[in-house]
Amino acid sequence: SIGAEIGSRGAQGRVLTRGEPGWELIPELSPLPTEDIIDKPGKGCFWGTDLDHLLRTCGVKRLIIGGITTDVCVHTTMRDANDMGYECLLLTDGSAATDASNHAAAINMVLKQGGVFGAVATSSAVCQLLAGLPRAHVAAINGAVPTPTPCTVPSAAPTPFTWPRGQLGLLMIDWQRDFLEKGGFGDSLGNQIGRLRAGLPGAAAVLAGARAAGVP
């Protein structure tokens, strides 16, 4: 076992340390050169980072969120985002936890009090909407200006998730090799990697749809 300290030596280099193999995002969700990576020091993505500044600079006011783990880093980020004025949508099958009951409880908490932290929806519901948006490369070629007409995921719960065009951003959290690959940090702690990887297909599908539609 490599222990639980960040910086400890492990099979994928120093645990969760920038520049080490385990720190890298998994190939299925590798970022494009034009996409921003936030290197967070804590559980939430906002504390100690420039994420809020980056989002506001891009005009983003609504967030689709996926990642691991649903009950820790994803939920912390969603709560912080809600407090900071962002409307959030959590991908139920584009996020995952090491314990199925924790994943379910985290989703259930979002549904309480009429959506106290935001809303939840499946990746397929989000992908269906993204697929209907103008393709980013076509809009660029035609010099099209995004329409202000709101877009809506009607099946989101507890209420539909709506955003004006140009205000949506996609946030993927902690899909790192150290958490998801055999011999990594998570595996050394006895985490069930298979449970975490269950969220990958949904996350990958939404990421592809967002890229095609030009969603940052």
Side-chain angles (χ1 to χ4, degrees), residues 10-197:
Q12 305 215 41
R14 290 176 296 162
V15 172
L16 298 176
T17 300
R18 185 186 303 172
E20 297 290 330
W23 177 85
E24 300 291 338
L25 299 175
I26 57 171
E28 294 93 326
L29 298 176
S30 291
L32 300 176
T34 55
E35 293 174 339
D36 295 293
I37 301 175
I38 300 297
D39 192 6
K40 63 184 180 69
K43 296 174 180 64
C45 292
F46 287 94
W47 186 84
T49 75
D50 60 356
L51 177 58
D52 181 53
H53 174 73
L54 177 64
L55 293 173
R56 295 187 190 280
T57 299
C58 294
V60 172
K61 298 181 180 180
R62 309 287 196 276
L63 290 171
I64 294 175
I65 301 175
I68 56 174
T69 58
T70 321
D71 53 327
V72 183
C73 294
V74 173
H75 229 263
T76 299
T77 298
M78 189 171 186
R79 289 169 181 242
D80 287 346
N82 178 262
D83 280 347
M84 298 172 76
Y86 294 95
E87 296 291 334
C88 301
L89 178 71
L90 174 62
L91 298 171
T92 57
D93 57 344
S95 56
T98 56
D99 183 275
S101 61
N102 288 353
H103 176 73
I107 292 172
N108 190 49
M109 278 189 278
V110 177
L111 299 173
K112 297 302 182 182
Q113 300 177 46
V116 63
F117 302 123
V120 302
T122 63
S123 59
S124 60
V126 173
C127 285
Q128 183 177 6
L129 179 62
L130 291 173
L133 298 180
R135 301 298 84 183
H137 70 283
V138 174
I141 292 172
N142 296 335
V145 177
T147 172
T149 303
C151 304
T152 301
V153 181
S155 61
T159 58
F161 182 75
T162 300
W163 74 89
R165 288 291 307 279
Q167 293 188 5
L168 182 67
L170 175 63
L171 185 60
M172 289 292 174
I173 302 171
D174 285 355
W175 295 109
Q176 291 166 281
R177 295 179 60 192
D178 245 336
F179 292 130
L180 292 154
E181 294 185 355
K182 196 71 175 175
F185 173 60
D187 186 40
S188 75
L189 298 179
N191 292 343
Q192 297 188 41
I193 295 174
R195 289 192 184 277
L196 297 180
R197 295 188 70 89

